[in-house]
Amino acid sequence: MAKKRMSPPNIEKAKDFKGTLKKLIKYIGTYKIGMIIVFLVAISSTIFSIAGPKILGNATQELYTGLIAKISGTGGINFEAIATILLFLLGLYILSAFFSYVETWVMSSISKKTTYRLRKEISEKIKKLPMRYFDSKTTGETLSVITNDIDTLQQSLNQSATEFVTSIVTVIGIFIMMCTINISLAILTALVLPIASIFVMFIMKHSQKYFQSQQEYLASVDGEIEEMLGGHTVVKAFNAEEKLLDDFQKQNQKLYESGWKSQFFSGMMFPIMNFIGNLNYAIIAIVGAYYCAKGRINVGNIQSFIQYSKNFTQPIAQLAQVMNQIQSMIASAERIFDFLDEKEEEDNGTLPVPLDKIKGNIEFKHVRFGYNPDKIIIKDFNAKVKSGQKIAIVGPTGAGKTTMIKLLMRFYTVREGEILIDGHNINEFKRSDLRNIFGMVLQDTWLFNGTIMENLRYGKLDATDDEVIDAAKMAHVHHFIQTLPDAYNMILNEETNNVSGGQKQLLTIARAILADPKVMILDEATSNVDTRTEVLIQQAMDELMKGRTSFIIAHRLSTIKNADLILVMKEGDIVEIGNHEELMNQNGFYADLYNSQFEEIE
């Protein structure tokens, strides 16, 4: 029996073990024929392997009998009988190896197909989740489900299912085989079970906490490294290398301490099991020799029994490891199923209005909303926007400007009131149709690892190269692209830091221009560009917005002086409405905001 050493995983228990296990079994039920095959071949492989020592004992006995006969002059060694036994044994081991291979191949296939299916369902689920989910969860939490939990499930499923079966079959099978040889010796060997179980539980209890600490400190060390790499410019600018290195050393030291302790305790398991096995081996050898002298057992059976007794403790340790793997697997499965059970974004819209007929008249009627029902942000928002108007929304931080845009695009649903587009409630539109009406440029730019051409075409996937270039020219980014290596075919790296922040903003604006939307939304779109570029963008945007409704959220009030209408928000309400000149003449809240940006700091 080959020894299999496994490192204890970071043990984490599921909140609803039984419920999650039922879900997982039902989920894997799609491959029930494969699972039945796996369990049958696993049992067969184990049985053939267990039968080996008994058959080998027969060969030993045949050899022993022949030697005694030869010494006494009554006969000789029957090599033909020994060869027959050994060939039969070789056949059993080949069958065992074959079944083990089939078991591994089928189980690996099932685990891969299961995780493939889960990743596909998670990918589809992400597209259906509401914005509320992403606002309430960190990116790391979602990524952890897709990567860590899926990988844990796959590895544990691949190993634990078959090892659980083989370990149990091995313990039962070995005990039965020992009973067929000598019941009293079998009972004596079985006494090792409670002793071995106590040692295993003791070791696992102490090693678990250190493995948990190791995972925690590993996360801390990873975080320290990520901070150093991500903020290396700031670190160097403030000469903070020594401090960061000192912090890293402290975390690394804790990781080292928890790491060696966890490995020490987990490393104790098999030596202790071997010691118990060897102790049992010595006892069996002494008692067996006594029985042999009394004629109660033959030499071949002693050899078989000793081999069985040495292998008896190994499945016990494996079972403890498997149970921990199963705990970790179910905890990961629980998070995966919780993610898949998240409430999806409802889309009950059935309005059959052709999008090319949409003009862009928008009306907000007594809109009331709060991310938390106990904390209302938008109290009573009313506004009427005509097609083609350029609307600016201004106000202090927390006034509800961006929230209004999220409601307009149905990232969130209004609690009270309604938002109308060309007289139709936005809830009547399918979300995909509604969002095709809008083009959006945010303060936080998002570009992906790919060519500039691919990033710009993201706004309109079927756009020709000429259309992409025309949009780039309107955004005044064409000249800049031409100066880059490979021009439009230059690849933006993963962090997209091979172009400046302002250049990235220009590219996102060009992408929005290419989409050619009915309504344009710009949320601090010019905040990351210099003054000269800002002027060029304003000119391009003015040209682009002719005939389109546009909403501009801005903190720099100098950028929205030519807006047709300015909505001034304060604490979720519109407090002033008008164009720049009208609002300045009112000498109210807007005038105070505008003037405060130009006051000299004494």
Side-chain angles (χ1 to χ4, degrees):
M1 301 283 289
K3 297 178 184 178
K4 188 167 187 179
R5 181 162 184 157
M6 301 155 56
S7 295
N10 178 29
I11 309 305
E12 183 180 357
K13 295 184 178 180
K15 297 174 185 175
D16 181 14
F17 185 92
K18 290 183 179 179
T20 305
L21 182 60
K22 287 180 181 177
K23 281 186 180 180
L24 186 58
I25 291 173
K26 184 178 179 181
Y27 196 87
I28 302 173
T30 310
Y31 314 105
K32 58 185 176 183
I33 295 176
M35 291 300 296
I36 291 171
I37 292 173
V38 166
F39 289 135
L40 288 177
V41 296
I43 292 170
S44 302
S45 175
T46 306
I47 290 174
F48 289 147
S49 180
I50 290 171
K54 181 69 180 292
I55 297 171
L56 186 61
N58 294 336
T60 303
Q61 182 61 33
E62 186 69 35
L63 179 63
Y64 174 78
T65 303
L67 283 171
I68 295 299
K70 189 171 184 179
I71 292 171
S72 62
T74 59
I77 301 173
N78 189 346
F79 287 104
E80 185 177 340
I82 293 173
T84 301
I85 294 171
L86 292 179
L87 285 173
F88 180 70
L89 179 63
L90 178 63
L92 278 183
Y93 281 145
I94 290 174
L95 277 174
S96 177
F98 172 74
F99 282 131
S100 180
Y101 170 78
V102 172
E103 165 204 330
T104 303
W105 183 77
V106 175
M107 196 65 226
S108 178
S109 176
I110 290 172
S111 64
K112 290 288 185 183
K113 287 178 180 178
T114 300
T115 51
Y116 170 83
R117 209 172 120 208
L118 283 170
R119 282 197 175 98
K120 184 179 179 182
E121 289 180 11
I122 287 173
S123 177
E124 292 172 352
K125 183 73 177 185
I126 288 174
K127 295 185 291 186
K128 300 174 183 178
L129 289 174
M131 188 66 70
R132 184 182 300 279
Y133 173 84
F134 297 103
D135 287 344
S136 62
K137 301 284 185 180
T138 64
T139 304
E141 288 177 298
T142 305
L143 285 175
S144 180
V145 172
I146 301 171
T147 55
N148 297 337
D149 290 328
I150 291 286
D151 287 342
T152 299
L153 178 63
Q154 176 184 312
Q155 293 172 10
S156 300
L157 188 62
N158 198 21
Q159 296 179 13
S160 59
T162 53
E163 286 181 0
F164 182 75
V165 174
T166 54
S167 295
I168 291 177
V169 172
T170 300
V171 171
I172 296 172
I174 287 177
F175 183 73
I176 292 173
M177 294 302 291
M178 288 192 297
C179 286
T180 62
I181 296 171
N182 189 285
I183 294 178
S184 58
L185 283 178
I187 294 172
L188 183 63
T189 303
L191 293 176
V192 79
L193 277 175
I195 300 172
S197 299
I198 291 171
F199 275 105
V200 168
M201 292 300 105
F202 174 80
I203 293 169
M204 292 305 296
K205 180 181 178 181
H206 283 76
S207 65
Q208 282 176 25
K209 63 180 181 181
Y210 291 120
F211 269 96
Q212 289 172 345
S213 298
Q214 183 182 10
Q215 291 300 111
E216 292 171 4
Y217 290 129
L218 181 61
S220 298
V221 168
D222 288 345
E224 292 281 348
I225 294 172
E226 185 179 356
E227 284 184 2
M228 281 193 277
L229 294 176
H232 66 277
T233 305
V234 177
V235 172
K236 290 183 179 296
F238 286 92
N239 291 320
E241 293 95 338
E242 291 297 327
K243 182 183 182 304
L244 270 180
L245 186 60
D246 184 57
D247 292 341
F248 175 80
Q249 292 287 15
K250 290 177 181 177
Q251 296 297 327
N252 200 28
Q253 180 65 26
K254 292 177 181 178
L255 175 61
Y256 161 74
E257 290 174 0
S258 60
W260 82 259
K261 287 177 182 177
S262 62
Q263 293 299 328
F264 173 76
F265 277 104
S266 66
M268 285 174 60
M269 181 176 296
F270 282 95
I272 289 175
M273 290 297 104
N274 285 335
F275 172 76
I276 295 173
N278 289 333
L279 184 63
N280 186 61
Y281 166 78
I283 295 171
I284 295 302
I286 294 169
V287 176
Y290 173 77
Y291 282 173
C292 185
K294 292 291 184 179
R296 295 173 59 182
I297 190 171
N298 61 45
V299 173
N301 283 339
I302 290 176
Q303 182 264 330
S304 299
F305 200 97
I306 289 173
Q307 194 169 349
Y308 281 130
S309 67
K310 289 193 71 174
N311 293 331
F312 194 57
T313 56
Q314 293 174 17
I316 302 168
Q318 286 182 348
L319 272 174
Q321 298 277 18
V322 167
M323 290 309 298
N324 287 333
Q325 274 194 325
I326 290 174
Q327 287 278 11
S328 182
M329 177 182 72
I330 296 301
S332 294
E334 185 175 55
R335 284 192 294 272
I336 293 169
F337 290 133
D338 284 346
F339 181 85
L340 292 175
D341 290 339
E342 284 285 342
K343 187 176 180 181
E344 296 180 358
E345 191 174 53
E346 296 179 0
D347 195 359
N348 301 322
T350 56
L351 186 66
V353 176
L355 298 184
D356 57 351
K357 301 294 183 181
I358 297 294
K359 296 179 180 179
N361 295 301
I362 298 174
E363 184 177 3
F364 298 87
K365 297 177 69 174
H366 302 289
V367 174
R368 180 180 173 85
F369 175 78
Y371 296 104
N372 187 326
D374 300 329
K375 187 177 180 181
I376 302 300
I377 298 173
I378 307 297
K379 297 173 183 175
D380 187 21
F381 189 94
N382 292 277
K384 198 166 185 178
V385 179
K386 294 180 181 179
S387 173
Q389 279 191 316
K390 183 177 179 181
I391 310 300
I393 304 177
V394 302
T397 301
K401 305 182 296 296
T402 302
T403 299
M404 288 309 308
I405 298 303
K406 289 181 178 179
L407 293 176
L408 179 61
M409 297 192 70
R410 278 189 72 190
F411 291 154
Y412 289 87
T413 304
V414 295
R415 298 188 183 279
E416 296 179 28
E418 57 183 349
I419 302 174
L420 308 175
I421 295 181
D422 289 355
H424 301 287
N425 191 310
I426 60 171
N427 293 330
E428 298 175 8
F429 290 86
K430 290 186 66 174
R431 289 182 191 270
S432 56
D433 290 342
L434 176 69
R435 288 167 190 169
N436 277 332
I437 297 172
F438 298 96
M440 201 170 189
V441 179
L442 303 175
Q443 179 179 2
D444 297 325
T445 57
W446 180 79
L447 298 169
F448 56 85
N449 180 209
T451 66
I452 289 178
M453 180 67 77
E454 289 170 341
N455 272 276
L456 295 181
R457 191 174 275 124
Y458 198 79
K460 184 182 178 183
L461 297 177
D462 59 349
T464 64
D465 289 354
D466 289 339
E467 289 175 325
V468 173
I469 293 171
D470 288 341
K473 288 178 179 178
M474 292 184 68
H476 297 279
V477 72
H478 174 71
H479 175 72
F480 155 68
I481 295 174
Q482 291 288 76
T483 63
L484 295 172
D486 298 324
Y488 283 88
N489 293 319
M490 174 182 162
I491 296 177
L492 300 177
N493 60 25
E494 189 175 351
E495 295 81 15
T496 64
N497 57 13
N498 52 344
V499 292
S500 71
Q503 291 160 351
K504 285 193 285 189
Q505 192 66 280
L506 288 168
L507 291 173
T508 60
I509 292 172
R511 182 172 62 192
I513 292 172
L514 180 64
D516 193 23
K518 297 289 183 179
V519 181
M520 182 68 77
I521 298 172
L522 298 112
D523 189 349
E524 292 292 331
T526 60
S527 61
N528 290 329
V529 298
D530 56 60
T531 305
R532 179 176 176 276
T533 307
E534 181 181 321
V535 171
L536 294 174
I537 291 176
Q538 288 295 337
Q539 293 173 355
M541 298 305 290
D542 288 341
E543 184 65 29
L544 171 69
M545 292 177 187
K546 286 181 179 178
R548 289 186 178 85
T549 307
S550 57
F551 291 85
I552 304 171
I553 297 175
H555 285 294
R556 284 194 284 178
L557 303 186
S558 59
T559 63
I560 47 92
K561 292 199 306 186
N562 62 344
D564 297 316
L565 192 65
I566 299 174
L567 307 178
V568 186
M569 294 189 67
K570 182 180 180 182
E571 297 180 355
D573 290 326
I574 296 178
V575 293
E576 294 176 357
I577 298 178
N579 58 36
H580 175 72
E581 292 182 359
E582 292 171 346
L583 293 173
M584 289 300 292
N585 291 333
Q586 291 180 19
N587 201 26
F589 185 63
Y590 175 82
D592 290 340
L593 284 175
Y594 185 84
N595 291 327
S596 67
Q597 294 187 4
F598 298 95
E599 289 179 354
E600 292 184 357
I601 300 175
E602 298 182 357

